[in-house]
């Protein structure tokens, strides 16, 4: 169902008109209200009137994660603190976390965006939605919660963890939609099987999965094992949280909520804007945020945009699955490779389970002369004769070499030996982080 046809089915012309109107307004707004953008514009001699077309956005400076850190906690805030009704934050593995304040209007806008996003994913008011994203500072839990309530679905706010109870509730309450990271959906399924429950026989029909990279092969695996439609959703704390984009049931790219977010693709090295279809770094500008609008945020996420009309009838551009982040690219003996590419190769081979670890030896930055991939094998392969294990190992080595042109050491490990995480999965490890084996 299309929840908001007026905005989701606008002609490109009307949409661009709306975007320009909103862009001009938000640029004037930050120039007046945000001390950070006042400074940034002044340093570059930018006046709000300089933006007269969508193309003029390139006159504005980029905002990076570093700018958030340097102006921690409230340097980018554009409203007085007493108008802020909620604050979220990203975990921030290094340094200070990113702070995301919201006004009541921002919460209402976000809830509506998330309601629309869930409707795009195929969820409706009759659904029973079990929300296993973490509640708290992370935007996943409350973002989905408010959106699902706004849509009118029945929400079960389990949050992450306590997996056995999740399965119990899923069965007893007749859950039809699960929302969590894709890696956690696999843990849910594994636990269900241990409890003698086959999720394929339950009422579950849709999973809305995001917050971490996952491959098409992983989707196939999840859909097959759980008998559901596994939908990809994208978002980030700096911009709003989940809801920046999502797939429709056609699963052919994530529709960006373009009436709220202006998307650009740039060449990450030169900062130059790239045309539709080309792959580069996603840059986002918030068009309707009030507490903390962000101009040209460099997401570091790599994707491309497709403006072709979609079979679902929505006109908003679709971004392709994130293939990696500019900061998670590995350089193995001079060959550039993203963890998600390694995942795709692994999961294309039969007998391999979607639980793996990439072990590198980082001498400087992302460069490593060493690559070892630990991957779990299925119960069948593991219980079989040694020869089968050896031939699987050789096959994986050969595939890595032929598809990615990298020589990897493959280590097949027993089912369920790789650590499971309830939130975002960690895939890449430095050799020094590994326990002695
Ligand atoms: O992960 C918001 C979110 C919550 C999205 C729930 C979807 C579902 P952050 O913690 O700030 O926010 O992390 C944002 O996660 O820049 C991407 O690198 C990555 N990411 C998010 N969604 C996807 C996805 C939330 N579908 C960062 N595919 C982003 C790949 C994703 N990466």
């Amino acid at each position: 169902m299309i929840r908001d046809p007026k905005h989701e089915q606008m002609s490109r012309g009307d949409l661009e008109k709306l975007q320009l109107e909103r862009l001009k307004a938000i640029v004037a707004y930050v120039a007046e209200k945000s001390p950070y953008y006042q400074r940034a514009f002044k340093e570059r001699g930018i006046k709000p009137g300089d933006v007269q077309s969508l193309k003029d956005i390139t006159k504005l400076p980029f905002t990076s994660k570093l700018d958030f850190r340097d102006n921690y906690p409230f340097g980018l805030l554009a409203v007085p603190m007493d108008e802020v009704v909620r604050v979220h934050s990203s975990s921030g593995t290094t340094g200070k976390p990113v702070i995301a304040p919201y006004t009541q209007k921002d919460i209402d806008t976000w809830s509506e965006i998330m309601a629309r996003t869930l409707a795009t994913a195929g969820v409706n008011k009759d659904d029973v939605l079990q929300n296993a994203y973490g509640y708290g500072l992370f935007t996943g839990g409350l973002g989905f919660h408010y959106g699902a309530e706004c849509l009118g679905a029945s929400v079960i706010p389990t949050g992450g963890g306590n997996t056995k109870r999740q399965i119990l509730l899923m069965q007893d309450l007749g859950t039809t939609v699960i929302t969590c990271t894709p890696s956690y959906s696999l843990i849910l399924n594994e636990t269900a099987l241990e409890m003698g429950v086959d999720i394929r026989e339950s009422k579950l029909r849709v999973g809305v999965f995001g917050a971490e990279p996952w491959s098409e092969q992983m989707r196939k695996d999840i859909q097959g094992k759980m008998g559901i439609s596994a939908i990809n959703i994208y978002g980030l704390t700096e911009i709003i949280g989940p809801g920046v984009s999502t797939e429709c049931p056609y699963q052919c790219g994530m529709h960006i909520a373009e009436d709220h977010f202006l998307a650009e693709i740039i060449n990450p090295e030169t900062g130059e804007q790239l045309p539709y279809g080309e792959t580069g770094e996603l840059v986002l500008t918030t068009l309707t945020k009030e507490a903390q609008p962000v101009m040209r945020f460099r997401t570091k996420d790599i994707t491309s945009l497709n403006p072709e009309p979609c079979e679902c009838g929505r006109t908003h551009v679709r971004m392709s699955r994130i293939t990696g982040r500019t900061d998670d690219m590995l350089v193995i003996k001079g060959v550039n490779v993203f963890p998600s590419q390694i995942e795709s190769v692994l999961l294309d081979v039969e007998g391999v389970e979607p639980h793996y670890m990439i072990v590198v030896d980082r001498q400087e930055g992302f460069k490593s002369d060493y690559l070892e991939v630990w991957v779990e094998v299925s119960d069948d392969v593991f219980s079989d004769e040694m020869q089968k294990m050896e031939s699987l190992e050789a096959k994986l080595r050969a595939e890595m070499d032929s598809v990615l042109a990298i020589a990897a050491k493959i280590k097949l490990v027993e089912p369920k030996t790789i650590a499971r995480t309830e939130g975002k999965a960690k895939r890449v490890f430095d050799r020094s982080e590994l326990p002695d084996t």
Side-chain angles (χ1 to χ4, degrees), residues 133 138-139 211-213 232-237 301 322 325 424:
Y133 281 109
F138 178 52
T139 53
E212 65 182 12
N232 198 2
I233 177 168
Y234 169 84
L236 59 170
T237 312
D301 293 318
I322 305 282
R325 288 177 54 81
K424 299 183 188 235

Side-chain angles (χ1 to χ4, degrees), residues 65 89-92 98 110 114 133 138-141 143-144 180-182 208-214 231-245 254 297-302 319-325 327-328 424:
K65 213 177 192 95
S89 149
S90 74
S91 46
V98 165
W110 187 22
M114 274 307 289
Y133 281 109
F138 178 52
T139 53
F144 271 85
C180 60
T181 55
V208 189
F209 303 134
E212 65 182 12
W214 56 311
I231 297 290
N232 198 2
I233 177 168
Y234 169 84
L236 59 170
T237 312
E238 292 84 349
I239 296 300
I240 202 161
V244 170
S245 66
M254 296 181 275
F297 181 68
R298 289 192 61 157
T299 64
K300 296 196 172 172
D301 293 318
I302 297 170
M319 58 183 257
S320 63
R321 190 180 278 287
I322 305 282
T323 49
R325 288 177 54 81
D327 56 1
D328 78 0
K424 299 183 188 235

Side-chain angles (χ1 to χ4, degrees), residues 81-99:
M81 197 58 197
D82 67 352
E83 283 181 34
V84 171
V85 298
R86 198 196 294 169
V87 177
H88 280 287
S89 149
S90 74
S91 46
T93 39
T94 49
K96 296 254 172 62
V98 165
I99 300 297

Side-chain angles (χ1 to χ4, degrees), residues 162-182:
N162 210 335
T163 311
K164 282 194 174 143
R165 191 179 59 187
Q166 303 253 12
I167 300 302
L168 189 89
L169 291 173
M170 191 181 280
Q171 286 183 290
D172 293 348
L173 307 186
T175 302
T176 55
V177 177
I178 181 79
T179 57
C180 60
T181 55

Side-chain angles (χ1 to χ4, degrees), residues 31 44 51 57 71 94 130 134 200 212 217 234 237 240 266 293 299 328 375 422:
R44 292 165 184 80
V51 176
I57 194 168
N71 293 280
T94 49
Q130 189 164 328
R200 284 175 303 187
E212 65 182 12
Q217 285 76 359
Y234 169 84
T237 312
I240 202 161
I266 61 159
T299 64
D328 78 0
V375 58
E422 286 159 6

